[in-house]
Amino acid sequence: MGRYDKIKKISEKGAFRIGTSYLPEFTESNSDILLISTHGDRCDLIATEYYGDPSFWWYIASVNNLKSNNIEAGTQLRVPVSIEQAVLK
């Protein structure tokens, strides 16, 4: 069980909150990249590859409902082409 499994998600103003963190709501797009993870893949490595910045690891984790930076091999992932939705306005 992940450490956030029992924490209630609260939605408000285009974002949802888990504990004290506000995360943007994500809208799927046909231009999103779909991939299957392999052994050793992590959200920070994928964020570096697609966004040039490992600090957006949380966005990939959030979009894919992952509980951590680590990804089990064989997991289907959605990587949004744009990080615009990651920035709360």
Side-chain angles (χ1 to χ4, degrees):
M1 175 164 52
R3 66 190 266 194
Y4 299 111
D5 287 347
K6 293 184 179 181
I7 294 177
K8 183 178 174 184
K9 287 185 179 182
I10 302 170
S11 292
E12 65 182 57
K13 297 181 184 176
F16 65 92
R17 183 176 63 149
I18 298 179
T20 59
S21 298
Y22 283 90
L23 300 174
E25 289 184 347
F26 170 72
T27 305
E28 291 183 4
S29 170
N30 288 335
S31 62
D32 293 342
I33 298 164
L34 299 176
L35 55 93
I36 303 294
S37 65
T38 59
H39 179 74
D41 279 346
R42 298 190 325 246
C43 293
D44 61 332
L45 298 175
I46 294 170
T48 300
E49 182 177 341
Y50 290 96
Y51 305 138
D53 187 347
S55 69
F56 283 104
W57 73 269
W58 62 269
Y59 186 50
I60 293 171
S62 175
V63 165
N64 291 284
N65 295 315
L66 300 174
K67 305 294 183 198
S68 72
N69 186 27
N70 297 316
I71 305 167
E72 187 176 327
T75 302
Q76 181 177 335
L77 299 171
R78 177 176 294 277
V79 180
V81 172
S82 172
I83 58 173
E84 288 181 15
Q85 292 184 54
V87 181
L88 293 175
K89 295 175 180 157

